[in-house]
Amino acid sequence: AKDDRVTFVYLKATESTGLVDRTYKRNLAGARGVGLPVGVYHFFSPNTPAQQQLSNFMRAVNPSTQDLIPIVDVEVAPRRKSQIVPFLKRLRAFVDGVERYFGCKPMIYTSQYFYKEYLKGKFLDCPIMLAKYSEGVPEVGEDIRFLVWQFTSSGSIRGIVGNVDRSCLMNHYTVDDIRYYGKKKQ
C-alpha cells in the first residue's frame, strides 16, 4: 500500500473443482486492510465441468468482499483439437455462471498467444486482461475491450517477498472501469 505504483490487486481464490488458495483469505484481509481495491480470480481447468468449478468458486468467494470485477484465468487448453469446442462451451458456461453470481461480466485473463489461438472472436462480450512479458503492447487483431496488460511475472513490490505479477491499466481506462459495484448497482 505504500508503493504508489500499486493501485489495485487481484488475488487467486480458486482453481478447478477443489482447490482454494490457502493464502486467499489472509491476502484478501491484508489488501482490504490497507485500502487497496481488491478483486479475485479463478484458474479455469479446461477439462473439468463448469458447474463443478463454479461451485468451488462460489463456496470460496463472497461477492460482497470484492471491490473489482472477477477474473476467469484461462491459460490451459485441452490436449486434443477435438476437445476445443467442448472446452469453449465449458468456459462459456463458467463465464455465464460467474456473471449470474456477481451480477456483472467477468474479465477474461489470458496470454496474447492463447487469445489468438483459442479465444479470438469468442468472448467479445467480456473485458479482457492480456499477459505479454516481452516488449510491446499485446495485439490480438480484433477490437476487444482490452483493459489490463500483465507485463511481467517477475516484478517486485515493496513488502512482498518473491516475484509479483505486475499489470497496468490500458489507455484511458482507470480502476473505476474494473470496479465491482455489486449485483444491485450494476
Side-chain angles (χ1 to χ4, degrees):
K2 293 178 183 174
D3 190 324
D4 61 359
R5 299 174 301 162
V6 179
T7 57
F8 64 94
V9 62
Y10 271 98
L11 307 171
K12 180 177 183 179
T14 55
E15 181 174 331
S16 193
T17 61
L19 188 141
V20 176
D21 190 287
R22 61 183 174 75
T23 64
Y24 169 63
K25 287 188 178 183
R26 182 182 75 223
N27 291 340
L28 177 65
R32 291 186 64 81
V34 296
L36 287 171
V38 65
V40 64
Y41 74 90
H42 172 84
F43 191 93
F44 188 79
S45 176
N47 298 313
T48 306
Q51 189 54 49
Q52 292 176 16
Q53 294 191 66
L54 188 60
S55 293
N56 182 36
F57 185 62
M58 289 169 39
R59 277 191 306 273
V61 176
N62 180 343
S64 70
T65 64
Q66 304 301 304
D67 303 308
L68 306 174
I69 62 174
I71 290 178
V72 181
D73 183 336
V74 187
E75 301 180 47
V76 181
R79 294 176 192 222
R80 289 177 279 191
K81 288 191 180 220
S82 64
Q83 296 173 326
I84 298 299
V85 170
F87 153 69
L88 291 170
K89 286 181 180 178
R90 283 189 292 277
L91 180 57
R92 173 50 73 185
F94 185 82
V95 165
D96 291 348
V98 170
E99 181 179 7
R100 282 189 302 276
Y101 184 58
F102 272 81
C104 69
K105 294 273 184 203
M107 185 160 28
I108 294 181
Y109 164 88
T110 194
S111 70
Q112 172 184 279
Y113 167 80
F114 194 96
Y115 185 90
K116 286 179 177 180
E117 187 71 22
Y118 301 104
L119 303 180
K120 188 173 181 174
K122 306 283 192 287
F123 291 88
L124 299 176
D125 57 326
C126 294
I128 302 293
M129 177 179 188
L130 290 174
K132 180 184 175 198
Y133 304 148
S134 58
E135 199 170 308
V137 175
E139 298 176 13
V140 294
E142 67 181 350
D143 189 21
I144 60 172
R145 284 186 49 217
F146 172 29
L147 277 69
V148 183
W149 171 22
Q150 186 177 87
F151 56 87
T152 186
S153 61
S154 57
S156 63
I157 298 290
R158 193 172 56 215
I160 297 177
V161 177
N163 290 336
V164 176
D165 294 340
R166 296 290 313 277
S167 304
C168 63
L169 292 158
M170 295 303 298
N171 302 324
H172 59 279
Y173 293 111
T174 69
V175 171
D176 285 339
D177 292 303
I178 58 173
R179 193 165 298 278
Y180 174 62
Y181 294 99
K183 280 185 170 183
K184 295 180 180 176
K185 294 180 184 177
Q186 282 290 338

